[in-house]
């Protein structure tokens, strides 16, 4: 029971986060409706789907406090980064290939080379800076500030990139108008294309008898904030662009925060059973968890629970044919997780309580986890980038992603999970890899 209770709580938190993020997605999509494809995926979509990671880290620091809280935070963000970068693109590829979109059978997921380079390189740079920045046993407010500044820089670059693309599209449209009388470039997707108007989660779930059953069993009538806030009247306001999406955004955020609190407590309970935390108490009874470090619990369980919105949103984009947004959301979410979802809670906590002091063990685990994250991200980037390419009629270069790449990404994540499990049970091979990572980390400067 000591293990089953927190696992059930994690499942419940995952369910609430998923349902609440549906409403958050609708509101954020409306607010960011004028952003271009690729930019929307890396900014609005990435932020909206990564809110659970931000709240998990924030609550972990202020509830568990100090070393345990930061361990859960770094574990959640690092685990989510690997999940987002490997599992989500692989899921999108496997979900789309073989389906029929616009009357054409999909044989590959074609992603813009520019999107992969832009978000992939930005993610690698952020992870490298993170290794240099958090390489010691004390953490200060200015480190969190630098991490937030990195994300602000990324946002500014994305917005400037969008404006530059819009200018080029406008020039192209003008040229086409002059030559053929038709201006087809640079159009912004109509507001009718937002998922809520035609493809709400409730409508999709209830499309069949099984869908209806799943909708009720998954708590749809109670947790479906989208159906509560978006009625026929609001759908018409969305079409007219007069809707106020902020109430749904605020309520969804509050529900997500509450679910993340349960998620943090579940990770804390699941990590009991060691000398530091021998047990946990619930309703007057004592229970014992797995007895593994909280960081490793968060890497697997919390990261998967908080990555559900990213997965759902990216798969939806992919099934709609928005492959750039699907990949940009996954990679952009990682940048948000690493820079802001970790940087802001650390900045806020250290301003209120002073520097975070980690034990040598937690500092070592954190360091090796971040270094391993960088190595696997680089490997994943090579899987993304290299392969068959083609150029569209308008001159955009695309990289083809087929089932082979999907299985390669899944294998990378599987290696990561096996390593984490090995470290939690002190497997000799996993400890040898950890020792090798530590030998590299000691060569780097430490901010203590």
């Amino acid at each position: 029971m000591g293990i089953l209770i927190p696992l059930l709580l994690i499942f419940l938190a995952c369910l609430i986060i998923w349902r609440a993020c549906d409403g958050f997605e609708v509101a954020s999509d409306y607010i960011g409706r004028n952003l271009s494809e690729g930019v929307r995926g890396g900014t609005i979509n990435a932020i909206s789907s990564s809110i659970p990671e931000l709240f998990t880290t924030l609550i972990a620091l202020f509830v568990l406090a100090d070393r345990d809280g930061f361990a859960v935070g770094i574990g959640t963000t690092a685990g989510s980064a690997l999940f987002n970068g490997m599992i989500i693109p692989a899921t999108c590829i496997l979900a789309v290939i073989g389906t029929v979109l616009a009357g054409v059978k999909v044989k590959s997921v074609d992603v813009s080379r520019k999107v992969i380079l832009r978000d992939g390189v930005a993610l690698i740079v952020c992870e490298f800076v993170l290794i240099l920045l958090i390489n010691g046993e004390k953490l200060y407010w200015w480190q969190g500030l630098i991490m937030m500044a990195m994300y602000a820089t990324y946002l500014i670059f994305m917005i400037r990139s969008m404006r530059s693309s819009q200018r080029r599209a406008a020039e192209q449209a003008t040229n086409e108008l002059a030559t053929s009388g038709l201006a087809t470039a640079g159009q912004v997707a109509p507001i009718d294309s937002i998922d809520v108007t035609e493809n709400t989660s409730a409508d999709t779930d209830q499309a069949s008898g099984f869908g209806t059953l799943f909708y009720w069993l998954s708590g749809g009538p109670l947790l479906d904030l989208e159906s509560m806030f978006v009625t026929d009247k609001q759908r018409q306001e969305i079409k007219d662009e007069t809707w106020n999406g902020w109430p749904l955004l605020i309520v969804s955020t509050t529900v997500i925060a509450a679910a993340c609190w349960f998620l943090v407590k579940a990770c804390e309970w699941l990590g009991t059973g060691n000398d530091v935390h021998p047990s946990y108490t619930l309703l007057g009874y004592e229970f014992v968890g797995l007895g593994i470090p909280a960081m490793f619990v968060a890497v697997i369980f919390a990261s998967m629970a908080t990555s559900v919105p990213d997965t759902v949103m990216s798969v939806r984009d992919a099934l709609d044919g928005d492959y750039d947004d699907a990949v940009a959301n996954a990679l952009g979410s990682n940048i948000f997780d690493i820079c802001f979802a970790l940087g802001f809670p650390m900045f806020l906590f250290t301003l209120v309580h002073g520097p975070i002091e980690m034990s040598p063990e937690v500092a070592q685990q954190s360091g090796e986890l971040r270094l391993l994250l960088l190595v696997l991200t680089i490997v994943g980037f090579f899987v993304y980038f290299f392969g068959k390419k083609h150029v569209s009629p308008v001159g955009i270069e695309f990289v083809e992603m087929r089932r082979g790449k999907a299985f390669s990404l899944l294998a990378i994540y599987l290696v990561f999970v096996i390593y984490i499990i090995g470290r939690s049970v002190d497997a000799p091979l996993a400890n040898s890899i950890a020792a090798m990572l530590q030998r590299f980390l000691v060569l780097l400067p430490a901010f203590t």
Side-chain angles (χ1 to χ4, degrees), residues 102 164 294 424:
S164 177
S424 65

Side-chain angles (χ1 to χ4, degrees), residues 45-305:
N45 289 1
I47 293 173
S48 63
S49 59
S50 291
I51 286 295
E53 285 89 342
L54 172 61
F55 278 119
T56 299
T57 306
L58 196 62
I59 293 170
L61 268 175
F62 280 90
V63 172
L64 302 183
D66 227 359
R67 62 185 65 179
D68 287 337
F70 183 76
V72 171
I74 192 68
T76 302
T77 53
S80 293
L82 257 298
F83 190 97
N84 293 346
M86 309 303 164
I87 297 295
I88 292 179
T91 303
C92 290
I93 294 170
L94 296 176
V96 170
I97 290 182
T99 61
V100 178
L101 295 178
V104 179
K105 187 175 182 179
V106 179
K107 296 182 179 179
S108 67
V109 172
D110 300 336
V111 182
S112 168
R113 178 175 177 269
K114 175 185 175 182
V115 170
I116 295 176
L117 277 175
R118 180 194 68 198
D119 293 343
V121 171
L123 177 60
I124 291 171
V125 170
C126 289
E127 290 180 359
F128 181 72
V129 173
L130 181 66
I131 291 174
L132 294 177
L133 199 61
I134 305 178
N135 188 34
E137 297 178 8
K138 277 191 176 184
L139 303 174
Y140 302 91
W141 64 268
W142 56 267
Q143 291 167 304
L145 185 62
I146 291 176
M147 293 163 65
M148 290 190 293
M150 286 195 298
Y151 189 73
T153 302
Y154 170 75
L155 274 182
I156 293 171
F157 173 80
M158 292 284 280
I159 293 172
R160 294 186 63 179
S161 174
M162 182 191 71
R163 290 176 178 173
S164 177
S165 297
Q166 288 176 338
R167 284 196 298 269
R168 288 195 298 268
E171 292 173 0
Q172 182 180 355
T174 302
N175 293 336
E176 290 183 359
L177 182 62
T179 56
S180 64
L182 297 174
T184 60
Q187 294 179 345
V188 176
I191 195 63
D192 293 14
S193 66
I194 292 180
D195 287 343
V196 63
T197 59
E198 300 293 339
N199 188 29
T200 66
S201 61
D203 292 338
T204 302
D205 285 339
Q206 298 180 60
S208 64
F210 174 79
T212 302
L213 179 63
F214 178 78
Y215 177 76
W216 280 86
L217 291 178
S218 62
L222 180 63
L223 302 174
D224 193 355
L225 298 176
E226 179 183 344
S227 296
M228 298 177 190
F229 280 81
V230 183
T231 62
D232 290 340
K233 177 183 177 182
Q234 281 73 41
R235 290 190 181 94
Q236 185 59 46
E237 290 177 350
I238 289 174
K239 290 182 179 180
D240 298 337
E241 298 195 38
T242 59
W243 182 52
N244 181 10
W246 288 103
L248 176 56
L249 194 76
I250 293 171
V251 173
S252 299
T253 302
T254 304
V255 173
I256 292 169
C260 289
W261 184 86
F262 286 112
L263 183 62
V264 169
K265 294 302 294 183
C267 289
E268 180 188 13
W269 292 346
L270 202 57
T272 59
N274 49 47
D275 294 336
V276 180
H277 302 289
S279 64
Y280 67 93
T281 302
L282 180 64
L283 301 177
Y285 296 94
E286 284 197 0
F287 300 95
V288 178
L290 291 173
I292 62 178
M295 182 181 296
F296 293 151
V297 173
V299 163
I300 297 178
F301 295 103
S303 65
M304 288 183 179

Side-chain angles (χ1 to χ4, degrees), residues 389-403:
K389 299 179 177 66
H390 69 269
V391 180
S392 70
V394 295
I396 300 176
E397 187 174 4
F398 289 93
V399 179
E400 294 185 4
M401 301 184 71
R402 300 177 182 268
R403 286 193 178 96

Side-chain angles (χ1 to χ4, degrees), residues 21-36 39-49 188-197 199-200 226 238 241 243 245-246 248-249 309 312-314 316-317 320 322 325 329:
C21 279
D22 276 348
F24 195 105
E25 177 191 352
V26 169
S28 62
D29 271 356
Y30 179 81
I31 293 170
R33 61 192 178 278
N34 293 322
L35 295 177
S36 64
V39 173
R40 183 176 63 251
T43 54
I44 294 295
N45 289 1
I47 293 173
S48 63
S49 59
V188 176
I191 195 63
D192 293 14
S193 66
I194 292 180
D195 287 343
V196 63
T197 59
N199 188 29
T200 66
E226 179 183 344
I238 289 174
E241 298 195 38
W243 182 52
W246 288 103
L248 176 56
L249 194 76
V312 173
M313 191 175 293
S314 289
R316 283 178 181 172
D317 284 336
D320 289 339
D322 298 331
D325 269 348
N329 173 42

